[in-house]
Amino acid sequence: MTDDEETVQCWLVERSSYGDERMVTLIYAPPEGDRHLTKQLSPNLLRRKRITAAIDVEPERLEPVNDEETQERYATEAQRMAERHDPDAEV
């Protein structure tokens, strides 16, 4: 099995911040929008870390998206990101 077969390419579909600690939440999803990976980073870490349009994720790390409306939104955004950015482009 190659690395490509062991991972799923997921695109950045949502970025938000919240709370007193001002954590930044990044959500990556595959083009189908049916699964996602959520990452939470502090603003300090976010400034030091390179955030790319897409990342490769092991399938077991992805959580299902149970809401159909959210699945459609993630799918639309993932496809838009794929059309506009190279996977390793910083966003």
Side-chain angles (χ1 to χ4, degrees), residues 32-59:
E32 302 80 20
D34 59 340
R35 297 173 291 164
H36 75 284
L37 173 71
T38 301
K39 291 183 162 194
Q40 291 187 320
L41 305 170
S42 71
N44 287 337
L45 183 57
L46 189 64
R47 283 189 284 276
R48 293 190 315 252
K49 185 168 175 58
R50 189 171 178 266
I51 305 302
T52 58
I55 59 174
D56 293 324
V57 180
E58 296 82 9

Side-chain angles (χ1 to χ4, degrees), residues 59-89:
E60 61 273 7
R61 292 184 58 208
L62 295 171
E63 298 290 329
V65 176
N66 298 321
D67 176 274
E68 188 173 321
E69 185 176 316
T70 302
Q71 284 182 15
E72 290 176 16
R73 184 167 51 88
Y74 285 177
T76 298
E77 185 61 19
Q79 291 167 9
R80 185 184 74 80
M81 289 292 284
E83 290 170 0
R84 295 182 180 181
H85 300 282
D86 287 331
D88 59 352

Side-chain angles (χ1 to χ4, degrees), residues 17-23 43:
S17 60
Y18 67 94
D20 294 339
E21 296 179 29
R22 295 184 35 204
M23 295 296 288

